[in-house]
Amino acid sequence: MIRVLLADDQSLVRAGFRALLDAQPDVEVVGEAADGEEALRRVRELRPDVVLMDIRMPLLDGLAATRRLTSDPQAADVKVVMLTTFELDEYVFEAIRAGASGFLVKDTEPDELLRAVRAVVEGDALLSPGVTRRLIAEFAARSKQPAAADALARLTEREREVMALVGIGLSNEEIARRLVVSPLTAKTHVSRTMVKLGARDRAQLVVLAYESGLVRPGWLG
């Protein structure tokens, strides 16, 4: 069972998500929280696999809560999916930097929400369909100057190539077609790259691709 915690200050939103998720045979909503502080307490108590975290909440917002959660070694296996009202919320970029595995707009289709929960448990980043490349392009425009690329020295040439393709928003299937390899091989390269760089998930790999200078704004082809 995939254990989910719902963190949103709107009770109707939580109720809607709970009804959808609890109807699935492989998903269980183990708890709810109405603010960031409560979300952190509930994570410590319940140890969920996934937290659906609203960005805007009282007492402690979702961004600050995510930053504290992802920096806690005891919560290393907990994945955070940010919930936002708008596709390109100004805080989404910081959320990805803070360690969130991705984000969803609140009015997303039910099937997409379910896919998101299952995807992040498997280690995949989740970005709402149709906004991945726009998000990456916007992130690139806002990102700081490339940091030293020393960390990339531990990667093989193929792993660098794969990381660059992840950085421009390609899925494993698209990477496989581009490199003429199987999707499983592409996924293996992505996983090994994340391990070598200490990235929590695919979303952080995108951040590292830009911050290391491996990928630069405009490389979306």
Side-chain angles (χ1 to χ4, degrees), residues 19-121:
L20 174 63
L21 294 169
D22 276 344
Q24 307 306 307
D26 60 334
V27 182
E28 175 188 12
V29 176
V30 296
E32 300 181 15
D35 60 68
E37 291 285 4
E38 184 181 9
L40 293 175
R41 290 196 301 271
R42 299 293 276 168
V43 167
R44 288 190 289 267
E45 294 169 4
L46 302 170
R47 297 297 176 185
D49 300 305
V50 180
V51 180
L52 295 182
M53 182 92 73
D54 186 23
I55 285 184
R56 293 177 175 81
M57 290 188 293
L59 298 184
L60 185 70
D61 65 35
L63 180 60
T66 297
R67 189 175 291 114
R68 283 166 55 174
L69 180 60
T70 57
S71 65
D72 182 355
Q74 295 185 346
D77 294 332
V78 179
K79 304 296 185 182
V80 178
V81 174
M82 305 301 299
L83 300 172
T84 178
T85 304
F86 305 102
E87 286 185 338
L88 289 180
D89 188 294
E90 63 181 303
Y91 295 111
V92 166
F93 313 103
E94 290 303 319
I96 297 299
R97 265 211 186 98
S101 294
F103 81 100
L104 283 172
V105 289
K106 288 186 179 181
D107 62 354
T108 190
E109 293 295 324
D111 285 349
E112 178 61 19
L113 174 64
L114 297 173
R115 189 184 76 81
V117 170
R118 294 176 178 124
V120 295
V121 168

Side-chain angles (χ1 to χ4, degrees), residues 146-161:
D150 295 346
L152 302 185
R154 70 194 69 172
L155 301 182
T156 65
E157 191 64 33
R158 176 46 63 94
E159 287 166 348
R160 288 190 185 208
E161 189 175 11

